[in-house]
Amino acid sequence: MLRLAHGALARIGSRILEGDNMPTAKKLANIGYKTFSSSMMLLTVYGDYLCSARAYHYFQPPSSQCQAAKEQNTSGVL
């Protein structure tokens, strides 16, 4: 049992000495991929919001102010 613990400690110590805390290329690639994916997801959600807001305003009936302005402009025309 003591020999197993000593071997595990030796492996951990060698990893620390080898600089295992430094990010590898695979870790950096994963971080970049996750960052890019999350930014694209946020951009998609924002685009959906803009599209739905425009569709909502498009399908709303004209307000009373717009209707009154149109009637005022057309009433002066013969």
Side-chain angles (χ1 to χ4, degrees):
M1 183 72 166
L2 186 58
R3 198 164 68 181
L4 283 174
H6 178 67
L9 288 175
R11 282 193 301 265
I12 292 172
S14 67
R15 283 187 178 179
I16 291 172
L17 291 176
E18 290 173 2
D20 194 38
N21 294 335
M22 296 293 292
T24 62
K26 187 175 181 179
K27 286 181 183 178
L28 287 175
N30 284 338
I31 291 169
Y33 173 75
K34 288 178 183 180
T35 303
F36 180 76
S37 298
S38 60
S39 67
M40 288 297 112
M41 186 171 26
L42 288 174
L43 189 62
T44 303
V45 169
Y46 182 63
D48 289 343
Y49 165 74
L50 291 177
C51 186
S52 62
R54 175 163 271 196
Y56 174 77
H57 288 294
Y58 180 77
F59 288 112
Q60 289 297 310
S63 66
S64 59
Q65 288 180 343
C66 289
Q67 200 71 3
K70 285 181 183 178
E71 289 174 4
Q72 188 178 20
N73 286 340
T74 57
S75 65
V77 177
L78 296 175

